[in-house]
Amino acid sequence: METSQRRGRRQHVLTVESTKELTPHLVRVVATGESLAEFADNGCTDAYVKLMFVDPALGLEPPYDLAALRETGQAPVVRTYTVRWFDQEARRLAIDFVTHGDTGVAAPWAMKANPGDRLVLSGPGGAYAPDPAVPWHVFAGDLSALPAIARSLEALPGDARGVAHLEVNGDADIIDLERPEHVTVDWLVNPDPDDIAFLARAVDGAHWPGGPVQVFAHGERESVKAIRGVLRDRGVPREAISISGYWARGRTEDAFQAEKRDPIGQID
């Protein structure tokens, strides 16, 4: 099932409840707040939110007057993250952050976050959920796509069949995932992070049974483009594919999002 959900820009002001290092490159932040009572479950397993980081030197209390901040050239830095899980009754949600040293904004924040810290976000958006009627599911992605893929695996019916190809930096990034018995998780340690065809070769080399298939392929832009070529060669119809770049090598999210609006940055 492919749906499109776009919600309003309401700001949810949350408080960090806990943080946990899941792997050397993945930190989970659990946050809570009463405004999550109005946080809609859109039914998408790739549901995402926009995190807002305002310069702390401004001393502002959220929710923020975004229009006023833009006028003064002090608009917040916005970063997009998948919601790993959400419990509306308990007013809690979890976001898994890929960490890569001290560069960037969101990842360093997550690494240093403490209970009581503020987290401001809007959303959710999203466009994908696995179709339980499809006989074969294919997932492909790196750590940035792991939250959406993990959530999708959990949403599959018990008799679902398929494979998830997950590219990681090393064995330490491998974690247990809940999944149906007949869905294989293929952890792939890439010895060369600059090998953009690494994940595509795994997808291409895997056995697929005949019949309809649904594909979810997300991650680094050039890697995902290579997977798109494999899917074209296999004749997978466009409507059976959810595919997008979550990030691009050597790009900040601001530059990456701007490039996505140009033909060179699009994955068709």
Side-chain angles (χ1 to χ4, degrees), residues 10 31-32 35 49 72 93 106 120-121 164 175 187 198 203 206 222 236-237 242 254 260:
R10 172 174 178 171
T32 184
S35 71
V49 291
T72 59
L93 62 72
V120 182
L121 57 85
I175 60 176
W187 291 100
F198 177 81
V203 173
E222 298 306 315
V236 181
S242 173
D254 303 311
K260 285 179 71 172

Side-chain angles (χ1 to χ4, degrees), residues 1 41 43-46 84 128-133 137 139 147-161 177-180 183 214:
M1 175 181 66
D41 183 351
C44 299
T45 53
D46 68 341
R84 178 59 184 87
Y128 167 86
D131 184 347
H137 296 267
F139 303 92
I149 292 175
R151 193 170 176 183
S152 298
L153 294 176
E154 294 167 358
L156 287 169
D159 61 351
R161 295 176 178 270
L177 295 178
E178 179 183 334
R179 64 188 189 277
V183 175
Q214 187 182 27

Side-chain angles (χ1 to χ4, degrees), residues 5-172:
Q5 301 286 340
R6 291 193 179 275
R7 304 287 178 177
R9 295 296 183 178
R10 172 174 178 171
Q11 295 176 42
H12 298 276
V13 182
L14 309 182
T15 301
V16 173
E17 179 181 282
S18 65
T19 66
K20 181 180 181 180
E21 184 180 279
L22 302 179
T23 79
H25 300 102
L26 204 62
V27 171
R28 175 168 296 169
V29 175
V30 177
T32 184
E34 285 304 314
S35 71
L36 291 177
E38 305 301 324
F39 188 87
D41 183 351
N42 58 19
C44 299
T45 53
D46 68 341
Y48 62 85
V49 291
K50 299 287 186 177
L51 309 184
M52 303 177 194
F53 298 94
V54 167
D55 183 353
L58 298 176
L60 299 177
E61 282 293 313
Y64 304 120
D65 185 337
L66 299 181
L69 287 172
R70 292 189 190 100
E71 288 179 1
T72 59
Q74 296 173 316
V77 174
V78 177
R79 294 292 180 261
T80 308
Y81 278 85
T82 302
V83 177
R84 178 59 184 87
W85 55 256
F86 169 56
D87 184 337
Q88 189 169 48
E89 183 176 350
R91 313 287 197 264
R92 300 169 72 231
L93 62 72
I95 297 173
D96 293 350
F97 293 78
V98 178
T99 58
H100 39 74
D102 295 329
T103 60
V105 176
W109 175 87
M111 293 169 65
K112 300 173 183 177
N114 293 304
D117 288 352
R118 291 280 185 82
L119 180 62
V120 182
L121 57 85
S122 66
Y128 167 86
D131 184 347
V134 173
W136 191 257
H137 296 267
V138 175
F139 303 92
D142 53 28
L143 280 180
S144 69
L146 179 56
I149 292 175
R151 193 170 176 183
S152 298
L153 294 176
E154 294 167 358
L156 287 169
D159 61 351
R161 295 176 178 270
V163 60
H165 304 283
L166 293 166
E167 178 183 346
V168 293
N169 298 321
D171 291 338

Side-chain angles (χ1 to χ4, degrees), residues 188-201:
L188 303 162
V189 177
N190 186 354
D192 180 7
D194 293 324
D195 182 1
I196 62 173
F198 177 81
L199 194 55
R201 289 196 299 272

